[in-house]
Amino acid sequence: MATQHKQIDEQTLENLLYLSRLSPESTDMETLKKQVDEIVGYFDILSKYDDSENPYDAYPTTSADQLRDDTVVEGLEMTDVKKVSENFMDGYFQVPKVLGAGA
C-alpha cells in the first residue's frame, strides 16, 4: 500500500501513547509509527467515498412508529371486574402471601 497521506508527527504519536497508556520503553516506536500511519491512510481511503445519502433509505418504512389515537374509552364495570376472580374484596384482588416465613 503506497502511503501518500499525511505522516503522523512525533508529538501526535506521544499523545497517542499517553492516551492509550503505553510507555515508549515498552513499544517499538518505528513499528508503532508505521502502524498508525497505515491506520491514518485507511481513513484517507474511506473519506474518498460519498456518504451524503441517508443510511435509513436502505430499510423499508413501517407503521410501528405511528402512535394510536389518544381517545378515551370506557373501562370495565365493577360487576365485570368481580367476575374475573372469586378473590375480589373491597375493590382489591386477594392474592397469596409471598413475603414472610415462606420466602
Side-chain angles (χ1 to χ4, degrees):
M1 177 175 154
T3 57
Q4 297 183 14
H5 57 277
K6 182 180 173 185
Q7 298 287 322
I8 192 165
D9 61 350
E10 293 298 322
Q11 182 62 37
T12 305
L13 187 60
E14 288 183 24
N15 290 340
L16 287 173
L17 286 173
Y18 174 76
L19 290 173
S20 62
R21 305 295 190 248
L22 294 174
S23 64
E25 296 85 29
S26 67
T27 308
D28 181 20
M29 295 297 283
E30 285 300 315
T31 305
L32 183 66
K33 183 174 182 341
K34 181 181 174 197
Q35 291 172 348
V36 172
D37 284 337
E38 287 178 3
I39 292 171
V40 171
Y42 293 139
F43 282 104
D44 289 340
I45 292 170
L46 289 175
S47 66
K48 293 178 185 175
Y49 292 99
D50 181 27
D51 62 347
S52 62
E53 71 178 47
N54 188 353
Y56 299 107
D57 289 343
Y59 303 103
T61 59
T62 62
S63 61
D65 57 347
Q66 296 175 354
L67 301 176
R68 61 176 169 80
D69 293 334
D70 200 14
T71 57
V72 178
V73 295
E74 193 171 326
L76 295 174
E77 295 292 328
M78 192 56 71
T79 56
D80 296 331
V81 173
K82 289 180 182 180
K83 292 178 189 176
V84 172
S85 173
E86 57 201 36
N87 297 330
F88 187 79
M89 185 172 64
D90 296 332
Y92 298 99
F93 289 102
Q94 186 180 7
V95 296
K97 185 176 181 179
V98 293
L99 298 177

